[in-house]
Amino acid sequence: MAGKKPEDGDVTVEKKPKSNMVLIIVIALLVVLLVGGGATAFLMLGSSHEEATATTTQQDTKVEKKKSSSKKSTDHLTIGPMYPMAQFVVNLLSESGNRFLKVAVDLELSDVKLQPEMDHKKSLIRDIIIRTFSSKTFEEISTLKGKDKLKEEVLDKINENLSDGQVKNIYFTDFVVQ
């Protein structure tokens, strides 16, 4: 029996180096995968950052070129002169006809020189706003995207009728749907 015990010990000794070798291989593969994944992430994020910077630069150039366009201004640091409008109460488009929108609107003007034209065309502007709001359903204006789309639509329609400047942005100062 004394001869059999060392053999059992030899078998045990032989298994330990094999299990250590497997462990070392697994650790090496994990390190290679982590390094490769890190490098890939760095390259992808680095190129996305460069593309975002290039896109931002191109957008800034386009914004400067299109200051006369009717797109909504997002420069909230330098807000232009405001033109407050009286409150609007309109029926929303619905089958039952029992949905109402009560909204107060302030218009941001591109220049103070536009104010006399706004005063002169106030009825036209109110009509544009009322017709646009009343053509919408509750579902269309209940989301943030819907409100932004509504602003863009009103902004475009108003600016089509102005000659001395443009309305840069529309601000809802009160917005209640019933």
Side-chain angles (χ1 to χ4, degrees), residues 22-161:
V22 171
L23 182 62
I24 291 172
I25 291 173
V26 168
I27 291 173
L29 285 175
L30 285 174
V31 169
V32 169
L33 286 174
L34 287 174
V35 170
T40 303
F42 176 76
L43 292 174
M44 292 185 88
L45 290 176
S47 65
S48 295
H49 177 68
E50 291 170 4
E51 289 172 5
T53 304
T55 303
T56 304
T57 305
Q58 290 173 353
Q59 288 174 349
D60 290 344
T61 305
K62 287 179 184 178
V63 166
E64 289 174 11
K65 288 181 182 177
K66 292 187 175 185
K67 282 194 177 185
S68 62
S69 74
S70 62
K71 294 297 177 192
K72 184 172 67 169
S73 169
T74 56
D75 182 15
H76 298 296
L77 295 176
T78 56
I79 293 179
M82 294 302 236
Y83 190 82
M85 300 292 292
Q87 191 173 56
F88 297 89
V89 178
V90 297
N91 292 330
L92 291 176
L93 189 62
S94 68
E95 291 180 16
S96 61
N98 60 359
R99 289 273 190 183
F100 297 93
L101 170 65
K102 180 178 101 173
V103 64
V105 175
D106 286 352
L107 306 174
E108 179 185 358
L109 307 180
S110 61
D111 194 354
V112 179
K113 296 175 185 174
L114 181 59
Q115 185 129 9
E117 184 180 7
M118 295 292 289
D119 290 337
H120 181 69
K121 295 182 177 180
K122 190 169 192 170
S123 296
L124 172 66
I125 293 168
R126 284 190 59 81
D127 182 60
I128 289 170
I129 292 172
I130 290 170
R131 283 186 294 136
T132 305
F133 287 175
S134 63
S135 70
K136 302 300 177 190
T137 63
F138 170 74
E139 290 76 21
E140 289 176 305
I141 64 170
S142 62
T143 64
L144 183 59
K145 261 187 182 176
K147 288 178 182 75
D148 286 340
K149 187 176 177 182
L150 182 63
K151 283 183 179 185
E152 287 290 332
E153 187 176 338
V154 171
L155 190 66
D156 290 341
K157 288 179 180 180
I158 290 173
N159 284 332
E160 287 173 2
N161 294 288

